[in-house]
Amino acid sequence: MTNPPGRAGGGAILWRTIRRHRARLSAGIVLVSVHQLAETMVPIAIGVIVAKAITPSSTSALVWSIGALAVLFLVLTAAWRYGARLLVGAMELEAHLLRVEVAGRILDPRGVRTDLRAGELLTVATSDAEREAWIVDIVPRGAAALTALTASAVALLVINVPLGLAVLVGTPIVLGVMQLAAPLVTRRVTAQQETTARAAAVATDLVAGLRPLRGLGAERRAADRYRDASRGALDATLHAARATGAFTGASVTVSGLLAVGVAGLAGWFALEGHLGVGELITVVGLAQFVIEPLGTLSRLPGFVAVSRASANRLALLLDAEPLVPAGDRPLPDGTDLDLADVGFRSLDGLSLRARPGELLGVLAHRPEDAEALAHLLSGHVPASEYRGSVTVGGVPLSDIEPVHARRALLVEPHHTDLFAGTVGSNVTAGLVDADTDTVWRALVASAAVDVVDAHADGLDMEITDRGTSLSGGQRQRVALARALLAGTPLLVLHDPTTAVDAVTEQSIADGIADLRHGDTDRAHTTVLITSSPALLAAADRVLVIGDGTVVAEGEHAELVAQDESYRKAVLR
């Protein structure tokens, strides 16, 4: 996994991009600069042909001149073709590397401390990564344009000193004036990218929650919310477009005025007899040609502003601190789970222990207590944000190296996502080399085998992103199969059966107990955070959480008989 580039923000990311593609950049700069030199030589060559071949009517000189001009165009074309190929390849490679790096930061087992939502992260990983990579194209374009202007100025100095000085003095003035407006463009573009990302985040949230919204009849309100976000993004885009358009228009106008001024001055010198016909043609050709590199240089600050704005947004993620520190302890030997006097969110002095090999049921009277417990055990909460201790196998969870912690303890949340692909690829996501028999036992234990058998393609059945092509119950069963297949020593399941019927729920309860606890030689520990009577009945022991702490303990049948609040919570 690539390390964050540091705390210097977008500027450091841009410099890193330039450094890691310096070989291709150097070669590309040389080739596109050769292209621009050859472009500069074209009007000079035409002027020489007029002066040395056409004016004196020399056929041999004309033939040699046309041959030389053909070679010049061959060099011009080849240099551009191979230079552009190098630079486009470097730009696309950088965009790819950034996308991979962003994905790596998002998937880091330690988590990442950022306020960016899912839609914003998607924008950072796609459009911002692409725009930051523009710097690989911007630098060579600037170098080539400077090369062309320098060569043109030198040629004009040789022909006429005032004409050369006009270009040498006028170019920095044009660029300096245009640079004054660059910060405004950067601010407008940054604001536009931020609002666009927020609109994408709202759209992502709406798509993810489309079914519940339809069930509540809240589609209109959700549409209004997205409309407001989209309107904000449109307004910001228009502001940025106006600033960029004004900047581009002003740069082209100023560059054109400089070129026209040089051409006009050349015409006056020709009328005064200071320039010959061939020299006049060369000067006018160069004056027309310099419009392009001048325009390129004057527009580059706008492109740099866009690239820098995207780099700044990338830095929000790549510079972000890990959510939890990197532990240094290896995978613990034990499979017991201990919480001692834990305070986190709604939890207040919670103490519980899941013994090695135990199937422990946990009933929380308040949903927020169940959510807090599942989130705390997920390993995404730094030790500084909760009170008390959480240990796995006698080792504090915060001290275990995150990759090892995931191998020891897996928490399957209530709201889980599937990926676009097949049922099989989703189930085996955590254990891609699992044999068919192992996969099948996980499918049977989770009752996901019914999902597979109901479709002609079986495990090859295609499902859409987030599993939206499946029903809620089918998604739960496929996700549960994935969690069971992982086979972690400690497994925490939070409400894994809320969307299935009672018969399927009983089948799942039996399946979990048989798969993870049927073999006495296996020391798997399972914690079921649920109010399902079938799952709680399968548990060896049940803990009841009320007001953030354990208020009762016992077997399911015992609690049903003796605890009225427990009975009301679980009997449906």
Side-chain angles (χ1 to χ4, degrees), residues 309-331:
S310 288
N312 288 340
R313 287 184 52 75
L314 282 161
L316 292 176
L317 179 65
L318 299 182
D319 282 353
E321 295 287 345
L323 195 60
V324 295
D328 56 3
R329 302 284 292 273
L331 187 70

Side-chain angles (χ1 to χ4, degrees), residues 495-515:
D495 281 336
T497 59
T498 53
V500 302
D501 59 78
V503 174
T504 304
E505 192 170 48
Q506 184 62 57
S507 174
I508 291 173
D510 295 338
I512 293 174
D514 181 62
L515 181 66

